[in-house]
Amino acid sequence: DAKTTQPNSMESNEEEPVHLPCNHSTISGTDYIHWYRQLPSQGPEYVIHGLTSNVNNRMASLAIAEDRKSSTLILHRATLRDAAVYYCILSDSNFGNEKLTFGTGTRLTIIP
Amino acid sequence: DADVTQTPRNRITKTGKRIMLECSQTKGHDRMYWYRQDPGLGLRLIYYSFDVKDINKGEISDGYSVSRQAQAKFSLSLESAIPNQTALYFCATSDGTSSSGANVLTFGAGSRLTVL
């Protein structure tokens, strides 16, 4: 299974943009890139996903490298509520969610 | 009410006891999952079910069993609990109907189990 590599932790100032990187050099052509986040004492929640093109939704933007070997989750204006562990995950579209493998993620700290 | 409800939220038990963690969902999703989270190890898939008659093992199914009593209910059992099953357990659902294959998981709030 393709794996992802993320920094263990990052810090960002409140009200500034945050760029969370993810490397997935062994990604296959059918793998989707998902991002989930886990707020303290809660279950993970979906943030965004994409295949080849950049994606935007109300929570964040996902920038995918042209060779798809890396991606970046962009929080445009971080708030204290965005402090969480962010997981970058690959899923094989041939199998669906059962191939979702969560790593240890990036713990994002927001500095007031 | 939450879309995915897990009970109990916290449980302390002793080695050798049988434990059942229950999950119910109001999203009408066909697919349900049980994950386990340990500090520093992320989430690992225990079992998953695509419909009432379908049960599949995940990466760490040993020592666990599941029951899909209805579309909305998926229970995880530990027949004889042991201390290394102390963890945070999450139930999740998805609709499994996305033509793109990139289905979205909805998680419950988790059940914290401690085995002494």
Side-chain angles (χ1 to χ4, degrees):
Chain A
D1 291 343
K3 294 185 178 179
T4 63
T5 303
Q6 301 177 252
N8 289 331
S9 63
M10 291 182 62
E11 290 185 347
S12 181
N13 294 321
E14 191 178 13
E15 299 185 2
E16 291 186 356
V18 181
H19 291 235
L20 296 164
C22 181
N23 288 318
H24 28 79
S25 59
T26 59
I27 191 171
S28 73
T30 55
D31 284 339
Y32 276 80
I33 302 160
H34 298 250
W35 284 83
Y36 282 74
R37 72 178 186 180
Q38 187 172 17
L39 303 172
S41 301
Q42 295 187 26
E45 64 174 348
Y46 168 81
V47 177
I48 201 167
H49 77 272
L51 185 61
T52 56
S53 302
N54 294 344
V55 184
N56 300 294
N57 67 19
R58 65 175 179 82
M59 291 181 69
S61 295
L62 176 60
I64 301 172
E66 192 170 344
D67 63 5
R68 300 208 328 123
K69 294 184 176 182
S70 65
S71 61
T72 301
L73 179 70
I74 302 167
L75 307 179
H76 294 288
R77 188 168 173 270
T79 69
L80 296 177
R81 293 173 57 185
D82 291 320
V85 177
Y86 287 78
Y87 298 97
C88 171
I89 304 155
L90 301 181
S91 73
D92 190 331
S93 64
N94 291 322
F95 293 95
N97 283 110
E98 72 273 23
K99 295 301 240 186
L100 275 182
T101 301
F102 286 75
T104 54
T106 297
R107 183 173 298 277
L108 177 64
T109 300
I110 304 299
I111 302 168
Chain B
D1 290 343
D3 293 328
V4 181
T5 302
Q6 294 184 228
T7 56
R9 294 292 313 280
N10 289 283
R11 180 72 183 269
I12 300 173
T13 191
K14 295 181 179 180
T15 297
K17 294 292 186 180
R18 183 178 187 274
I19 294 297
M20 178 179 287
L21 305 180
E22 299 184 346
C23 178
S24 63
Q25 51 112 349
T26 58
K27 296 187 73 70
H29 287 170
D30 287 326
R31 297 186 176 189
M32 297 188 73
Y33 309 78
W34 276 103
Y35 283 88
R36 165 178 172 161
Q37 186 173 37
D38 298 276
L41 291 179
L43 280 80
R44 293 180 290 172
L45 183 62
I46 306 172
Y47 270 98
Y48 59 100
S49 168
F50 283 178
D51 62 41
V52 175
K53 297 182 180 179
D54 177 79
I55 300 290
N56 304 282
K57 293 182 177 181
E59 59 180 303
I60 56 162
S61 59
D62 288 347
Y64 301 95
S65 63
V66 291
S67 174
R68 185 80 184 266
Q69 302 95 321
Q71 184 200 40
K73 296 184 181 297
F74 192 37
S75 299
L76 176 71
S77 294
L78 289 67
E79 296 300 327
S80 180
I82 56 177
N84 75 3
Q85 291 177 313
T86 294
L88 187 55
Y89 291 86
F90 288 101
C91 176
T93 74
S94 71
D95 62 12
T97 58
S98 170
S99 60
S100 69
N103 303 311
V104 173
L105 291 174
T106 301
F107 282 84
S111 295
R112 184 171 297 280
L113 176 65
T114 302
V115 183
L116 301 176

